[in-house]
Amino acid sequence: MNTELKYQPIPYYEYVSAGFPSPADDYMDKPLDLNEYLIKHPSATFLVRVEGDSMLGAGIHPDDILIVDRSLTAKANDIVIATLDGDFTVKRYVSENGKHFLKPENPRYKAMEVTNHPDCRIWGVVVYVIHRT
């Protein structure tokens, strides 16, 4: 059984005007490989679908797909995928006064301090959000 995936090249236009319209064919570039464009470390990258509304303020909505890179080390203000008490969550990683927090981007939820939490692991850094308009 052949399990290799085949992708159809997608036409790529370098720029689209947000002002006065211009002829699109003048800006046609080579086909764009979304894997090449969005994924820098294929063996360390995974996709996850969002459930819940705790990250609305960061532009992350329910059913969005996140591209997550596990090879990156989380730094302050990154949006991360973490495990907390065995459950996965997406939050902003925040450091304040030597303490570390997983902070939601919705005022209905509270930040969780994880400085010395024994069961908190950062799984990866969110590098892109795929959001349907």
Side-chain angles (χ1 to χ4, degrees):
M1 177 161 86
N2 185 358
T3 59
E4 182 178 329
L5 297 175
K6 302 284 184 188
Y7 295 98
Q8 179 74 20
I10 299 170
Y12 174 56
Y13 294 88
E14 185 69 30
Y15 296 100
V16 63
S17 177
F20 188 76
S22 60
D25 286 340
D26 293 345
Y27 296 98
M28 182 69 154
D29 205 347
K30 69 176 185 156
L32 179 66
D33 179 346
L34 290 176
N35 289 303
E36 182 181 309
Y37 185 74
L38 298 174
I39 300 173
K40 289 191 175 26
H41 307 108
S43 64
T45 299
F46 66 96
L47 306 176
V48 62
R49 186 174 300 275
V50 175
E51 180 179 83
D53 63 356
S54 71
M55 294 300 288
L56 290 175
I60 299 174
H61 299 83
D63 289 327
D64 285 356
I65 295 174
L66 306 179
I67 301 176
V68 182
D69 190 333
R70 291 198 71 190
S71 72
L72 300 176
T73 300
K75 56 189 183 315
N77 295 316
D78 280 347
I79 295 176
V80 300
I81 301 296
T83 58
L84 188 61
D85 298 324
D87 294 324
F88 283 97
T89 188
V90 57
K91 299 288 182 277
R92 188 169 303 277
Y93 179 69
V94 177
S95 293
E96 295 174 355
N97 301 320
K99 295 182 180 182
H100 305 285
F101 299 88
L102 294 177
K103 181 183 175 216
E105 295 284 335
N106 183 332
R108 294 180 36 215
Y109 301 95
K110 294 182 180 180
M112 300 164 276
E113 184 179 352
V114 296
T115 307
N116 297 313
H117 197 291
D119 198 25
C120 179
R121 303 277 184 267
I122 304 297
W123 264 63
V125 176
V126 175
V127 291
Y128 289 100
V129 178
I130 300 172
H131 175 78
R132 182 173 292 183
T133 58

